[in-house]
Amino acid sequence: MPRSVNHVASRAKRKRILKLTRGYFGARKNVWTVAKNTWEKGLTYAYRDRRNKKRNFRALWIQRINAAARMEGISYSKLMGALAKAGIEINRKVLADLALNNPEAFKAIVAKVK
């Protein structure tokens, strides 16, 4: 008896991945094995970079807070220590946003902890 192969399902699976690789360069978009490998590698990059994104944003917030704090005559580390000592619980994301978009509020916070 001949072997039964589900061509419909296997072709659908290939089409689905080839559709996801549309826009890639060269053989990465249309050669099945290359496209599949590229797509799988892309998933690992996506997983890794979802974590790296958090690191990058935290570093950006710290740089913004430091720049704004030094304009007020205090360093970043002294400011964060003073905030903790004063019992002001404000995270770096909000503090960086205040430093960038609302300098008066940031000055008020710095004045409170000095």
Side-chain angles (χ1 to χ4, degrees):
M1 188 157 181
R3 189 166 71 106
S4 175
V5 182
N6 190 353
H7 284 298
V8 176
S10 54
R11 188 178 301 116
K13 182 181 174 185
R14 281 197 297 271
K15 276 185 75 173
R16 179 175 55 87
I17 290 176
L18 287 171
K19 190 175 181 186
L20 291 170
T21 60
R22 204 180 285 164
Y24 287 8
F25 182 82
R28 291 167 168 245
K29 70 173 162 278
N30 55 11
V31 176
W32 164 243
T33 51
V34 181
K36 186 171 183 287
N37 291 340
T38 306
W39 172 73
E40 285 174 348
K41 183 104 176 186
L43 293 178
T44 63
Y45 286 143
Y47 178 83
R48 179 197 69 189
D49 290 337
R50 278 195 297 275
R51 279 126 196 93
N52 288 354
K53 184 177 166 185
K54 294 164 184 57
R55 289 179 218 162
N56 292 339
F57 269 104
R58 184 181 169 96
L60 176 67
W61 298 331
I62 289 170
Q63 290 166 11
R64 286 179 175 173
I65 295 166
N66 190 24
R70 286 184 187 275
M71 287 171 70
E72 299 302 316
I74 188 170
S75 71
Y76 168 80
S77 59
K78 296 248 169 63
L79 174 66
M80 295 312 281
L83 282 169
K85 204 174 278 183
I88 300 172
E89 289 184 18
I90 185 166
N91 65 19
R92 286 164 180 82
K93 181 179 179 180
V94 172
L95 205 55
D97 187 57
L98 285 176
L100 194 67
N101 298 321
N102 198 345
E104 299 83 30
F106 186 80
K107 281 181 186 175
I109 291 170
V110 173
K112 186 139 184 143
V113 299
K114 269 191 175 175

